[in-house]
Amino acid sequence: MRTHLQKLADHESLTLAEMMDAAEYLFSDKVSDSEIAAFLMGLKTKGETTEEMSGLVSILREKAHQLHNVPVGVMDNCGTGGDGSHSFNISTTAAFVIAGAGIPVAKHGNRSVSSRTGSADVLENLGVSLQLSMQQTEEILEDNGIAFLFAPSIHPSLKRVMKIRNELKIPTMFNLIGPLTNPVTLDTQLVGIYRRDMLEKMAMALHQLGRRRGITVNGAGYMDEASLAGENHLVLVDDGELIPFKLSPEDVDLPQYDNEEIIGGNAADNASILKSVLKGESGAYRDTVILNAALGIFASGKARNVHEAIRLAKESIDSGAAIGKLEYLIDYSRQAERKVI
């Protein structure tokens, strides 16, 4: 590990093989907490490469608990966090809308690290269990079309690293690679990134990790979600081809809102917002979810363009399909708890 730390200190990037070797140490008991912190800060200061991201993700996924029976065409939508916007849980809400449109979603997430409320925090507040077995998760994904994969349960090797990330309280490479560590072999993925300079690198990482299609997005105001405040920067991954494009609210006939209008709060506040959107309440929260869900639907290939995807996202909410997916998760969690008792 010292060799890798010295290379980072000299502002040199690690090769794919070097990063995989460093990751083996990172998730072992052979390194100290200070070495782990130094490694994360060394990567952040130097600037992360696609090879470093792919190498770290490869080792993490090898060590993760696996889901073996998953639906065809399964996807994930997740932001990196770290944008400091204090927005509500946009991607978590959008996941139910995507699933309601008929696209299976293996939603991978965690408690808050650099944001105020993580996906796990808001779902737990709604009554979704974070303690389900892998077999139960597979069953939910098959029957409901959306399941939640709680990162600490999926990635036991991350326990020490998570402790250090919580102590650092700043975005690190783990914010960037978090969305990539889903142990499910995904067909497609939507990834929001708080750093615009990493859009193409993240898109290339999606391709290297076997995604057939995907979209990376940095929103107006440098959010890690698509925003209706102005121009969004995106990269479409289509069978290995990277296609950069930009998208503004007027391009897809949606209203413009300042990012201050989509600020959230604690887990209870954000749970209330999530439910209000899925129940059809109009306004900035709903329209922002519609845009992000539409990007996921477009990324999956179910819609030919974003306009068509927006129509499907609206139908998912207005038909009750989206909230039905959430209600299934809550009911399943209650029944699972009763069996334990």
Side-chain angles (χ1 to χ4, degrees), residues 52-186:
E52 288 167 345
M53 288 193 292
S54 296
L56 185 54
V57 168
S58 296
I59 298 302
L60 253 179
R61 293 184 70 201
E62 280 181 12
K63 295 180 179 297
H65 295 311
Q66 302 295 318
L67 269 73
H68 301 288
N69 301 310
V70 297
V72 175
V74 67
M75 72 169 295
D76 190 7
N77 71 312
C78 187
T80 58
D83 63 6
S85 68
H86 306 296
S87 60
F88 74 106
N89 295 86
I90 297 169
S91 64
T92 307
T93 313
F96 292 103
V97 181
I98 294 169
I103 300 157
V105 179
K107 184 74 175 90
H108 183 246
N110 205 344
R111 296 193 185 279
S112 172
V113 177
S114 59
S115 59
R116 188 171 177 184
T117 306
S119 55
D121 300 311
V122 73
L123 289 174
E124 185 178 51
N125 188 274
L126 287 163
V128 176
S129 175
L130 305 181
Q131 307 301 324
L132 299 175
S133 69
M134 302 306 289
Q135 183 178 349
Q136 288 172 315
T137 302
E138 287 182 3
E139 179 183 324
I140 293 169
L141 188 54
E142 179 64 33
D143 294 345
N144 189 44
I146 180 170
F148 183 66
L149 282 64
F150 185 40
S153 298
I154 298 290
H155 301 287
S157 61
L158 269 178
K159 188 173 181 180
R160 282 184 70 205
V161 174
M162 283 301 303
K163 170 180 171 290
I164 293 161
R165 286 183 66 200
N166 280 312
E167 289 172 354
L168 288 174
K169 286 294 181 186
I170 59 172
T172 68
M173 186 174 181
F174 278 89
N175 287 86
L176 290 172
I177 61 110
L180 303 178
T181 60
N182 194 318
V184 174
T185 302
L186 302 171

Side-chain angles (χ1 to χ4, degrees), residues 47-48 193-201 218 222:
E48 302 88 345
I193 311 170
Y194 72 99
R195 284 175 52 184
R196 193 164 291 174
D197 64 309
M198 294 295 292
L199 273 175
E200 291 205 13
K201 289 181 181 178
N218 176 260
Y222 294 90

Side-chain angles (χ1 to χ4, degrees), residues 3-305:
T3 302
H4 302 313
L5 282 171
Q6 185 60 56
K7 195 168 183 180
L8 294 177
D10 294 336
H11 289 269
E12 295 179 24
S13 296
L14 303 182
T15 65
L16 179 65
E18 287 172 334
M19 189 62 189
M20 292 175 74
D21 180 66
E24 290 285 2
Y25 281 104
L26 200 66
F27 305 129
S28 73
D29 57 2
K30 297 178 182 178
V31 293
S32 65
D33 287 359
S34 60
E35 285 176 309
I36 293 173
F39 187 76
L40 296 180
M41 293 309 299
L43 287 167
K44 183 178 179 67
T45 303
K46 175 191 67 66
E48 302 88 345
T49 67
T50 298
E51 288 72 21
E52 288 167 345
M53 288 193 292
S54 296
L56 185 54
V57 168
S58 296
I59 298 302
L60 253 179
R61 293 184 70 201
E62 280 181 12
K63 295 180 179 297
H65 295 311
Q66 302 295 318
L67 269 73
H68 301 288
N69 301 310
V70 297
V72 175
V74 67
M75 72 169 295
D76 190 7
N77 71 312
C78 187
T80 58
D83 63 6
S85 68
H86 306 296
S87 60
F88 74 106
N89 295 86
I90 297 169
S91 64
T92 307
T93 313
F96 292 103
V97 181
I98 294 169
I103 300 157
V105 179
K107 184 74 175 90
H108 183 246
N110 205 344
R111 296 193 185 279
S112 172
V113 177
S114 59
S115 59
R116 188 171 177 184
T117 306
S119 55
D121 300 311
V122 73
L123 289 174
E124 185 178 51
N125 188 274
L126 287 163
V128 176
S129 175
L130 305 181
Q131 307 301 324
L132 299 175
S133 69
M134 302 306 289
Q135 183 178 349
Q136 288 172 315
T137 302
E138 287 182 3
E139 179 183 324
I140 293 169
L141 188 54
E142 179 64 33
D143 294 345
N144 189 44
I146 180 170
F148 183 66
L149 282 64
F150 185 40
S153 298
I154 298 290
H155 301 287
S157 61
L158 269 178
K159 188 173 181 180
R160 282 184 70 205
V161 174
M162 283 301 303
K163 170 180 171 290
I164 293 161
R165 286 183 66 200
N166 280 312
E167 289 172 354
L168 288 174
K169 286 294 181 186
I170 59 172
T172 68
M173 186 174 181
F174 278 89
N175 287 86
L176 290 172
I177 61 110
L180 303 178
T181 60
N182 194 318
V184 174
T185 302
L186 302 171
D187 187 58
T188 187
Q189 191 164 3
L190 171 65
V191 181
I193 311 170
Y194 72 99
R195 284 175 52 184
R196 193 164 291 174
D197 64 309
M198 294 295 292
L199 273 175
E200 291 205 13
K201 289 181 181 178
M202 182 68 81
M204 180 55 71
L206 288 179
H207 170 60
Q208 289 181 352
L209 291 167
R211 313 297 192 252
R212 179 182 59 82
R213 278 174 63 92
I215 289 177
T216 58
V217 55
N218 176 260
Y222 294 90
M223 286 187 65
D224 71 327
E225 313 273 4
S227 164
L228 290 170
E231 188 175 72
N232 298 277
H233 292 242
L234 309 95
V235 177
L236 170 67
V237 183
D238 188 7
D239 287 324
E241 184 180 4
L242 304 188
I243 307 167
F245 67 105
K246 298 175 184 177
L247 193 69
S248 297
E250 58 267 24
D251 297 330
V252 288
D253 302 321
L254 286 173
Q256 184 164 335
Y257 302 94
D258 290 337
N259 285 338
E260 287 73 19
E261 296 182 69
I262 55 170
I263 288 175
N266 59 27
D269 296 328
N270 288 3
S272 177
I273 293 169
L274 185 153
K275 287 182 73 174
S276 72
V277 169
L278 297 187
K279 287 180 177 179
E281 186 174 317
S282 62
Y285 295 130
R286 170 189 163 100
D287 290 336
T288 301
V289 167
I290 286 171
L291 176 60
N292 282 273
L295 289 174
I297 293 168
F298 175 54
S300 78
K302 182 161 187 173
R304 292 166 296 178
N305 52 55

Side-chain angles (χ1 to χ4, degrees), residues 305-335:
N305 52 55
V306 180
H307 277 280
E308 183 181 347
I310 284 175
R311 177 180 62 79
L312 293 173
K314 289 178 178 178
E315 286 178 5
S316 174
I317 295 173
D318 296 338
S319 68
I323 198 164
K325 300 295 184 181
L326 171 62
E327 289 169 347
Y328 179 103
L329 278 182
I330 296 170
D331 289 343
Y332 189 102
S333 298
R334 286 173 180 161
Q335 291 173 23

